[in-house]
Amino acid sequence: MFLLLCTYSFHTSAQQRDFTLEQVTSYPFPNALTSGGENRIAWAVNALGKRNIYVAEGSDFEVRQLTNYQQDDGQELSSVILSPDGKWVVYIRGGDFGSNWDDARPVNPASQPVLPKVRLWSIPFDGGETILLGEGISPAISPDSKQVAFIKNDQVWTVPVDGSKEAEQLFYARGESESPVWSPDESMLAFTSDRDDHSYVGIFENRETPIQWIAPSFHFDSNPSWSPDGQSLAFIRQPIRAGKPDSILAAIPRPWSVMKAEVVSSKVASEEAASEEVEKLWESPHTMRGSAPTTQGRFNLNYADGHITFLSYHDGWPHLYSIDEQGGDPLLLTPGDYMAEYISLCPDKKSLVFTANTGPDEFDIDRRHIVKVSVDKADAQVMTPGKGNEWTPLITGDGESLIYLSAGAKRPPLPAVMNLASEEPDLIGEELIPADFPTDQLVVPEQVVFDAPDGKQIHASMFSTENGEGQKPAVIYVHGGPPRQMLLGWHYSSYYSNAYALNQYLASQGFVVLSVNYRLGIGYGYEFHRPVDGGSRGASEYQDVKAAGEWLAEQSFVDPDRIGIYGGSYGGYLTALALGRDSDLFAAGVDIHGVHNRVGGRYAFDAAEYEQAPDLQEAMDVAWQSSPVSAVDSWTSPVLIIHGDDDRNVNFHQSVDLVGRLMKKDVPMETIVIVDDTHHFMKYANQHKVNEAAAEYLIRKLGAVKSTP
């Protein structure tokens, strides 16, 4: 196998790297950045488990803490939004909104005797007491900044933003109502009505008028987006999945369409007349690339000034397209080999800003920068070139500033503001980073590129201190998802930002750490992201992980007998697969809430239906061979297994089953159960316990010796 090292050098100083794991994970992580009014911004900050809302406004954007939550109780702050007039901040407290199921169900990682609730809150931007608006999710503030629409018990409710009245159900609609969107003049509200095997887009006007169903059909309709004048509505239409079962292993396209409806109020037309004014503006190619996108934001549908913009993968990359609202051919806005995500329509509705892995530097494919593009021409401009990472961009209401979150290889994430006239960025909130955070002691990860056995190029990030004398132990980090990409710097996800900090700590303790971007991940095009033989269809991504271990074993600075592996979620799955299939290569591992049996549990094939897929048995056999439990007989390397028992992404039984199998085989094993916490370890104390256990285990099993100056 030919292996290519794209770049490797120890660009680190000879300074002492003596910091604790707690120090390197003490950074305040910002998320849910939002804007409102002319130049006001708000965001949530998680500082050692104490989650609070912070705000700032122009011209100096001085940071101010708005809420005062003082406990590490695992109650997340999410869906942070500013009212259009900038006077109110609304947010959700509670839940786990990164889960695969039960995301809106309360979490209780602190094991409190009284179960916390998932609630909506508001607070004046200028300061004051928090106001309970009620239990619910998916808040949407009306354009006049007076009302909040939200979802409770699968129905749409409303409440005054100042909490002056009790919340009330706005209307009844059968099924599960989702994604409320106000019309620009707040006279109507569009929503999605999920009916299990089909869905509609509906419009509520008032309690005297029946709900308008926009061209109801045997399809999945979703993602309503209003035109700036409120007279039209764009939405996404996908075909239902029904009829005779398809092949499980075959690659079958999942097409979709961009639809447009003319909206006529009850004052001027009947329901039937309104429903007939619907047209298909664009239909995706019937190819695998043309299938519904699965990257962040999925379709990213926006009704701009005279144009409708959307994201599609049909040319091989997640690109932005624009189509005239009157129809015609779509215009590719973002040509090039890079992806677009975290897409935001600017207040003037003439431009989009988004995050992309592109820029002038050759290594930008493994970074994130902010790009701006017009909605009617392919004039994309990288706004934040350099060696950092930037994400979640927004333009302030006055059109004068670009706001986003920013990080470097050594500096953890912070909000940033760029004056668009001068294009000079300023960081805000630097004072929130603890004084003992070891910025200067961290390393800059190096990009490594090597070949998998089938010739696919695989990117990785390598962390290491000075070379020193002798060979070092090494560890492979395998990210989860799997639609993720680890970067050459701090990550935009709190879960992977934590992993980045842990990798820095392991490097400080004498490890060479290789963070592998295996296939199934994003950032390298459609065929890399969606291989036909990945996952339960053959686990082709495992060859990338094994190739990473073999690459490490061939390096003169690595001890080939002391190579370990660790990862969480899908990374836990690949860790277990590595230890089961290749214990001779991987000497020890830490498997954090991994999937272990791709045939059973939530991953089961439905054997109860009379009419089965033609390749059901073959698919089950392939899924079994793709599962770590199928390789237990050859598993000899020691392993630490960690799992929270309120996991809503990977069923806890996945680890229960593996532990039972390994016990019967007497595989050296240690286990940790995190009681009442979820996949994301919502309580900081629990995340720190997991970090400490993983680091201690790898050091103990692989005999790491910390590098010296």
Side-chain angles (χ1 to χ4, degrees), residues 201-262:
V201 169
I203 297 177
F204 168 80
E205 190 170 351
N206 55 58
R207 292 185 175 178
E208 290 73 44
T209 304
I211 293 170
Q212 291 185 40
W213 299 112
I214 305 300
S217 65
F218 291 92
H219 292 92
F220 288 105
D221 293 344
S222 63
N223 299 80
S225 180
W226 289 97
S227 63
D229 62 8
Q231 296 182 14
S232 301
L233 194 72
F235 62 96
I236 298 297
R237 171 162 287 177
Q238 301 176 79
I240 57 174
R241 298 184 181 183
K244 184 178 180 179
D246 288 330
S247 165
I248 297 170
L249 296 175
I252 300 173
R254 305 294 182 188
W256 55 284
S257 302
V258 176
M259 310 293 292
K260 178 195 165 191
E262 299 299 327

Side-chain angles (χ1 to χ4, degrees), residues 563 565 578-580 582-589 634-640 662 665-669 697 701:
I563 297 175
I565 185 169
L579 296 173
D582 292 292
S583 283
D584 57 334
L585 176 60
F586 299 104
S634 56
W635 188 324
T636 58
S637 292
V639 62
L640 169 62
L662 295 178
K665 192 175 178 295
D666 292 328
V667 172
M669 175 179 56
Y697 188 84
K701 291 298 181 181

Side-chain angles (χ1 to χ4, degrees), residues 485-496:
Q485 181 185 21
M486 298 305 290
L487 308 174
L488 295 171
W490 290 84
H491 204 273
Y492 50 83
S493 158
S494 61
Y495 188 102
Y496 299 108

Side-chain angles (χ1 to χ4, degrees), residues 529-681:
H529 177 36
R530 301 301 298 271
V532 295
D533 55 355
S536 60
R537 291 177 167 87
S540 62
E541 67 276 14
Y542 174 66
Q543 66 181 301
D544 308 336
V545 176
K546 183 178 180 181
E550 291 173 338
W551 182 86
L552 282 170
E554 293 178 359
Q555 306 310 306
S556 61
F557 49 86
V558 170
D559 183 345
D561 294 326
R562 292 191 293 163
I563 297 175
I565 185 169
Y566 88 101
S569 193
Y570 209 90
Y573 159 68
L574 288 170
T575 293
L577 209 57
L579 296 173
R581 291 184 177 182
D582 292 292
S583 283
D584 57 334
L585 176 60
F586 299 104
V590 180
D591 170 0
I592 306 170
H593 46 228
V595 174
H596 306 121
N597 188 340
R598 307 204 66 155
V599 181
R602 281 185 174 266
Y603 314 95
F605 293 92
D606 188 354
E609 297 295 334
Y610 175 77
E611 193 175 20
Q612 297 288 359
D615 56 353
L616 174 62
Q617 187 58 53
E618 180 187 1
M620 293 179 69
D621 292 342
V622 172
W624 174 258
Q625 293 302 322
S626 302
S627 301
V629 290
S630 71
V632 166
D633 285 346
S634 56
W635 188 324
T636 58
S637 292
V639 62
L640 169 62
I641 297 175
I642 304 174
H643 212 137
D645 75 341
D646 191 19
D647 196 317
R648 305 170 191 188
N649 291 71
V650 174
N651 197 301
F652 185 72
H653 183 71
Q654 288 283 320
S655 290
V656 171
D657 180 60
L658 179 64
V659 167
R661 293 171 187 266
L662 295 178
M663 288 176 66
K664 290 180 179 179
K665 192 175 178 295
D666 292 328
V667 172
M669 175 179 56
E670 298 177 25
T671 62
I672 296 176
V673 173
I674 306 297
V675 178
D676 289 337
D677 212 338
T678 73
H679 195 73
H680 300 101
F681 302 123

Side-chain angles (χ1 to χ4, degrees), residues 140-254:
I141 304 177
S142 60
D144 64 2
S145 301
K146 294 180 180 179
Q147 296 286 320
V148 180
F150 63 96
I151 302 298
K152 177 182 177 181
N153 298 329
D154 299 327
Q155 299 294 320
V156 179
W157 292 55
T158 57
V159 64
V161 71
D162 61 3
S164 56
K165 292 197 307 181
E166 292 288 324
E168 59 180 357
Q169 186 172 322
L170 190 59
F171 59 87
Y172 168 78
R174 197 169 66 83
E176 298 179 7
S177 296
E178 301 170 346
S179 309
V181 186
W182 295 94
S183 63
D185 65 355
E186 68 263 342
S187 66
M188 294 179 282
L189 188 142
F191 65 101
T192 300
S193 179
D194 189 339
R195 307 281 175 103
D196 191 25
D197 61 356
H198 64 288
S199 63
Y200 307 133
V201 169
I203 297 177
F204 168 80
E205 190 170 351
N206 55 58
R207 292 185 175 178
E208 290 73 44
T209 304
I211 293 170
Q212 291 185 40
W213 299 112
I214 305 300
S217 65
F218 291 92
H219 292 92
F220 288 105
D221 293 344
S222 63
N223 299 80
S225 180
W226 289 97
S227 63
D229 62 8
Q231 296 182 14
S232 301
L233 194 72
F235 62 96
I236 298 297
R237 171 162 287 177
Q238 301 176 79
I240 57 174
R241 298 184 181 183
K244 184 178 180 179
D246 288 330
S247 165
I248 297 170
L249 296 175
I252 300 173
R254 305 294 182 188

Side-chain angles (χ1 to χ4, degrees), residues 8 10 462-464 466-476 510-514 548-564 585-586 702:
Y8 172 69
F10 288 100
M462 184 164 61
F463 303 72
S464 184
E466 303 92 306
N467 197 6
E469 297 294 330
Q471 294 178 315
K472 290 186 175 186
V475 62
I476 289 175
F511 282 97
V512 174
V513 182
L514 194 66
E550 291 173 338
W551 182 86
L552 282 170
E554 293 178 359
Q555 306 310 306
S556 61
F557 49 86
V558 170
D559 183 345
D561 294 326
R562 292 191 293 163
I563 297 175
L585 176 60
F586 299 104
L702 300 175

Side-chain angles (χ1 to χ4, degrees), residues 432-484:
L432 301 181
I433 298 178
D436 64 347
F437 183 81
T439 302
D440 294 336
Q441 297 166 276
L442 303 184
V443 299
V444 177
E446 302 274 352
Q447 185 198 67
V448 171
V449 180
F450 56 87
D451 286 347
D454 63 358
K456 184 79 72 176
Q457 281 199 338
I458 307 301
H459 286 226
S461 303
M462 184 164 61
F463 303 72
S464 184
T465 58
E466 303 92 306
N467 197 6
E469 297 294 330
Q471 294 178 315
K472 290 186 175 186
V475 62
I476 289 175
Y477 170 69
V478 196
H479 69 74
R484 302 284 186 270

